[in-house]
Amino acid sequence: MSLYVILMGVQGAGKGLQAKLIEERYGIPQVSTGDLFRAMRARKDALARKVQAIMVSGQLVDDDTTNAIVADRLAQADAQNGVILDGYPRNRIQAAFLERHLQAKGARVNAVLLLELDLYVAFKRAFGRVSADDGASYNYYYNADGVDFSWTPADDSSYPPRLDASLSDGGEVLKRRPDDASADAIIKRIDTFLETTQPLISYFQAKGIVRKINADQSIEAVWAEIERALETD
Ligand code: AMP
C-alpha cells in the first residue's frame, strides 16, 4: 500500500515538524518543491538558471517545469511507497497533473492534511520567533522565559522596530529568519497562502479527501490527530 499525502497550512502551522513525524512513522520521504528548487542553486545548466531567476523575482515557477521536477522526484527509489508533498500542488493545474500521474501508477492522493491555524496566531508565531545556535526556539509572545527581548529602531525608521533577542544566561544573541523580520513580508506570505490555498481546498474537498487538523495545540496533540486522519483513509 502506498501513501501519498499533501500537507497544507500557513507558515507557522508546524508543517515541517509534522512532516518529520509522518516520515518516521510511515517511512515515506517529504518532498518540498521549494527545497527541490533551492537545491538547483548548485547547478549551472539552463533549467537551473531559469528556476533561480524566477525564485529571486518572487514569482512561481511555471507549471510544466514544476510538474516535471515532481514527476522526476516521485520516480526515485525512496519514493516508491509514497511521499509527503509540501508546497505542491500550488494550483489546480498542478493538482490535476499529480492526480493523473499517480493514477498512471495505480496510486492516488490518499489525504490532504490541512493544518488549520488562526492567522493572528500564525503572524505571532512567525514574527516573534527567534532561535539559538543549538536549535532551541523561543518566541516573544509565547515562550520568552530566559530571553531578553528589546526593540531597536530600524535603519529606515520603518515600523515596527527591529526585535532583538539574547539569552539572559550567557548572552548568546538569538537569530531571526530574515523573512520573519519584516511584518509586511509575513502579511504578504499569509495573503499569498490564502489566495493559492482556498481554491485548492475546494478542489480536494469535492473529492472528499481533505482532513482538517487543529494546529493550535501541542506537537503531540497535532500528531495524534494526523495519525487518526491517516488511519481512517
Ligand atoms: P517555498 O519554499 O515553498 O516557499 O518555495 C520557494 C519558491 O519556490 C517559490 O516562491 C516559488 O518560486 C518556487 N516554488 C515552490 N513550489 C512551487 C510550486 N508548487 N509551483 C511553482 N513554484 C514553486
Side-chain angles (χ1 to χ4, degrees):
M1 245 294 280
S2 57
L3 180 63
Y4 290 87
V5 179
I6 296 173
L7 208 48
M8 282 189 191
V10 68
Q11 208 218 350
K15 278 186 299 173
L17 270 169
Q18 297 299 333
K20 285 226 166 57
L21 295 173
I22 301 174
E23 213 170 87
E24 281 165 21
R25 167 79 171 75
Y26 296 98
I28 53 174
Q30 179 188 8
V31 171
S32 146
T33 38
D35 286 349
L36 290 177
F37 289 140
R38 274 184 289 276
M40 290 172 89
R41 262 186 212 144
R43 287 174 26 187
K44 299 273 174 279
D45 54 288
L47 177 64
R49 280 207 302 271
K50 179 176 123 185
V51 166
Q52 283 316 315
I54 295 171
M55 286 179 76
V56 167
S57 74
Q59 308 285 301
L60 287 179
V61 178
D62 63 278
D63 292 331
D64 286 346
T65 305
T66 306
N67 290 337
I69 280 164
V70 170
D72 183 63
R73 180 66 187 88
L74 296 188
Q76 287 169 24
D78 65 332
Q80 294 316 299
N81 291 328
V83 293
I84 309 152
L85 289 162
D86 175 11
Y88 179 93
R90 278 249 211 320
N91 58 41
R92 287 169 186 233
I93 295 172
Q94 295 181 3
F97 172 86
L98 175 68
E99 288 177 313
R100 277 198 310 278
H101 184 80
L102 293 182
Q103 208 171 26
K105 292 178 179 241
R108 65 188 174 92
V109 177
N110 298 86
V112 176
L113 297 176
L114 177 60
L115 268 58
E116 292 191 303
L117 186 66
D118 176 81
L119 297 181
Y120 178 56
V121 176
F123 178 86
K124 287 159 87 181
R125 280 194 184 178
F127 190 69
R129 156 167 75 187
V130 289
S131 63
D133 283 340
D134 66 2
S137 169
Y138 305 87
N139 190 292
Y140 179 68
Y141 302 101
Y142 297 115
N143 176 21
D145 282 356
V147 180
D148 296 325
F149 283 100
S150 61
W151 295 94
T152 312
D155 293 341
D156 59 359
S157 303
S158 60
Y159 184 83
R162 224 180 57 210
L163 181 60
D164 291 321
S166 57
L167 287 180
S168 314
D169 181 12
E172 179 187 335
V173 175
L174 301 176
K175 291 195 188 66
R176 278 175 102 190
R177 281 166 40 170
D179 52 345
D180 286 344
S182 146
D184 189 46
I186 297 173
I187 288 169
K188 282 207 178 97
R189 262 195 336 255
I190 293 177
D191 282 346
T192 307
F193 165 78
L194 286 176
E195 279 159 29
T196 51
T197 315
Q198 282 311 329
L200 271 184
I201 294 170
S202 335
Y203 178 90
F204 286 120
Q205 240 160 0
K207 296 167 191 274
I209 54 172
V210 174
R211 305 280 175 263
K212 292 186 176 176
I213 308 290
N214 174 10
D216 195 4
Q217 312 180 76
S218 67
I219 294 168
E220 295 75 22
V222 174
W223 172 238
E225 273 196 36
I226 290 182
E227 265 194 310
R228 271 201 303 277
L230 291 180
E231 262 138 42
T232 53
D233 170 46

